[in-house]
Amino acid sequence: MKKITWLLPLVVTTVLVSAQKKSDRKTLTNLQQHISYLSSDKLEGRLTGAPGEKLAAEYIQSQMQQIGLVPKGTDGFLQTFSVKEGREPAANCSFELNHRPLTAGTQYIPLPFTATKAAKGEVLPQANEPDNIWLINVAELDSTKFTSRRELYKRETAEAAKAGATGVIFFNGTESLPEINSWLETNETAASIPAVWVSKEISKILDDENANSFLIQLNVALKPVKRTGTNVIGYVDNKAARTVIIGAHYDHLGYGEDNNGLTKGKVLYHGANDNASGIAALLELARQIKASKLKNTNFLFVAFSGNEQSLSGSKYLTANSPIDLSQANYMLNLDMIGRLNTTHGLQIAGMGTSPSWTKLLENTNKETKVVYEASGVGNSDHTSFYRKQIPVLFFFTGMEDYHQPEDSADKINYEGTLTVMKVVFELIEKTDTIEKLAFTATPEPTTAAIK
């Protein structure tokens, strides 16, 4: 009898450890499956509004169905939103500089008030002549009298047209490509002449003091464009008074069409860490929570699109929420959690958004280096919920291969991703039986520090 009493705890412990290892192995297998598919060539980088994004949404929806989540979109699990509605260069839009064709969207961009017409000429540097194309050095303009750079360009275009210019090219502008492209989402009254902005690369050519002249041929043509993104939303309804929101974005950069990749030219951005890793963890957390004994909280799982387009998916969801956000306890954001290592460890931002976070996270996995940050504001989707005065936490594991095509599934630390999941699940367990967390505002960073 003594032997049985003595051995029973050992047997129970062995069974529990074995079961835990089996559960972990299953989770690791699922993480690899999710990340490998979402970052595969088939999905073409999951650009918001592109066919690859739709395939990713279908996959996430099917996984949520298998888990048994309740659909919470406007069309089953899906919630669509407008990402961009405006204009973009048409197929026949062209710009030749010394007989060299330039690429619209990267080397030059038509301005929103441009005339859609052609212009050509042999243009002399530093000599803006009537009946010819003008080159305007933006670095020499006084922008202090204008509320925006766009207004400055608009004024200069109008004055050039009035002086007889047949077209205008602005060089040495400090704006980024995405910023200039975003201007085409605005409606502007067209000028009488074509007006384009050129990149730093082309600006260097036009700013060459030793150049004798430039042969320029322009044909500005625009077409209407509308891009639609899709959030995927599932729910665990425990009929509770409060809800925890767990989110991750699944969109990425596609082939770099929006010019926010860090490699020149058309290349496939796989986005394994950014952010197939977060989506994989979200799906596995949903699976675990659905099967758990956590019954005092409802759970909203959201796979956001439009993260790479100024957080448009999470902004839309918080403005059109499928639940009453006043009942939201807090929001957890999983973004780039697949590169855990001993150098930078796990970073958790948003610690200042509730006085409860410090106590709840004080015993976080002691074998993992954890770096905390107070601010609830950053370049990821938790910011949209912070703006609604909801406590947030942002889980993140570093910037390796950020916005690079080398961000592939073979570089993911799957054991590390599982470790992050365990930290998140333990936190959720701790909050299941306590009161609703209080919200506190945090200082606004001068720049978005993360992501």
Side-chain angles (χ1 to χ4, degrees), residues 212-362:
N212 294 319
S213 65
F214 301 104
L215 295 176
I216 295 176
Q217 187 158 333
L218 278 174
N219 182 43
V220 177
L222 297 170
K223 65 177 182 180
V225 61
K226 182 174 183 179
R227 280 171 64 182
T228 300
T230 304
N231 293 328
V232 190
I233 313 167
Y235 190 57
V236 174
D237 187 0
N238 287 322
K239 311 298 181 185
R242 58 186 181 271
T243 299
V244 167
I245 302 169
I246 304 172
H249 78 90
Y250 71 94
D251 64 301
H252 195 53
L253 308 185
Y255 288 98
E257 292 93 332
D258 290 332
N259 305 304
N260 46 5
L262 298 180
T263 298
K264 288 185 177 181
K266 182 180 179 181
V267 294
L268 175 58
Y269 292 85
H270 295 92
N273 188 36
D274 187 11
N275 184 36
S277 65
I279 288 295
L282 178 141
L283 291 173
E284 291 309 297
L285 283 166
R287 196 182 311 278
Q288 293 173 3
I289 288 170
K290 185 68 172 65
S292 74
K293 296 180 180 179
L294 300 173
K295 303 301 179 185
N296 298 308
T297 305
N298 308 317
F299 296 91
L300 189 73
F301 296 92
V302 188
F304 300 106
S305 190
N307 170 277
E308 304 291 356
Q309 286 73 39
S310 303
L311 315 182
S312 57
S314 56
K315 287 177 182 177
Y316 184 84
L317 184 131
T318 54
N320 302 272
S321 176
I323 65 166
D324 181 355
L325 288 182
S326 69
Q327 301 303 312
N329 194 359
Y330 56 84
M331 188 271 180
L332 306 179
N333 181 27
L334 310 173
D335 194 352
M336 299 176 65
I337 60 168
R339 295 293 190 94
L340 188 66
N341 63 40
T342 55
T343 303
H344 50 66
L346 170 62
Q347 299 174 44
I348 304 178
M351 293 294 292
T353 64
S354 176
S356 301
W357 287 138
T358 301
K359 180 70 174 176
L360 288 166
L361 290 164
E362 65 181 355

Side-chain angles (χ1 to χ4, degrees), residues 169-188:
I169 297 169
F170 293 95
F171 67 98
N172 282 340
T174 58
E175 300 81 8
S176 67
L177 287 168
E179 181 181 358
I180 296 293
N181 271 312
S182 72
W183 290 2
L184 289 172
E185 297 174 33
T186 61
N187 292 319
E188 295 272 8

